[in-house]
Amino acid sequence: MLCIVLAAVAVIAAVFIRRAIGYRRRVKEIIGEGIPPEKISIKITGEEISHEVSDFYCNALLLPADTSTHDAKDVLIQPKYHARIKAIISSARKKGIPVTMYSYIDNVLAHHFLFLGEDITDLHLRRDDNH
């Protein structure tokens, strides 16, 4: 009787392990894990970027964060964006730029609020006036 129970448990375990391995493989493909950074497409448009934009990008977004991660919060990022950010960071590090995932996202958000802050404020003021 014990042998039958152990055999059944082994079969069930084998099925679940096989499914877990397949799931892990699919997740790796989705997020780009194991794919060299140079093979991950970062571009969103087909346009070439001028050197002026490229210099601005490096000087504004590929900087070390000026704050610590002590008070940082966790956020969820779509796997396709996570793979792109990892590729950007890997490429920057190969060029000697000490950027981290935290500092990159922090700089992108700071840039977003700096350049779109007025529009965001106006949007919220109009929304508050309508209620």
Side-chain angles (χ1 to χ4, degrees):
M1 183 66 158
L2 183 60
C3 289
I4 294 172
V5 171
L6 288 175
V9 169
V11 168
I12 292 170
V15 169
F16 280 109
I17 290 171
R18 184 168 178 235
R19 291 180 80 188
I21 290 170
Y23 175 76
R24 178 136 172 92
R25 186 178 308 122
R26 285 191 307 277
V27 167
K28 279 184 175 183
E29 289 171 4
I30 289 171
I31 65 171
E33 189 175 304
I35 300 172
E38 54 274 359
K39 299 231 182 212
I40 295 174
S41 175
I42 297 170
K43 278 188 178 180
I44 295 175
T45 65
E47 301 172 12
E48 289 297 318
I49 298 174
S50 70
H51 286 292
E52 185 177 304
V53 171
S54 177
D55 290 342
F56 166 78
Y57 184 81
C58 288
N59 293 329
L61 302 179
L62 297 179
L63 299 172
D66 58 356
T67 62
S68 75
T69 59
H70 177 69
D71 293 325
K73 305 293 182 197
D74 293 332
V75 295
L76 299 176
I77 300 173
Q78 289 187 40
K80 62 184 178 182
Y81 299 133
H82 188 271
R84 288 177 179 173
I85 293 169
K86 276 177 56 175
I88 291 166
I89 291 168
S90 177
S91 177
R93 285 183 179 164
K94 285 180 183 175
K95 295 174 183 171
I97 302 170
V99 66
T100 63
M101 179 83 64
Y102 172 81
S103 63
Y104 180 79
I105 293 172
D106 189 62
N107 292 331
V108 168
L109 289 172
H111 179 265
H112 170 78
F113 289 121
L114 177 67
F115 286 96
L116 297 174
E118 281 187 43
D119 294 333
I120 294 168
T121 301
D122 291 344
L123 176 67
H124 285 289
L125 289 175
R126 273 188 270 132
R127 187 190 75 195
D128 291 342
D129 289 344
N130 292 334
H131 284 71

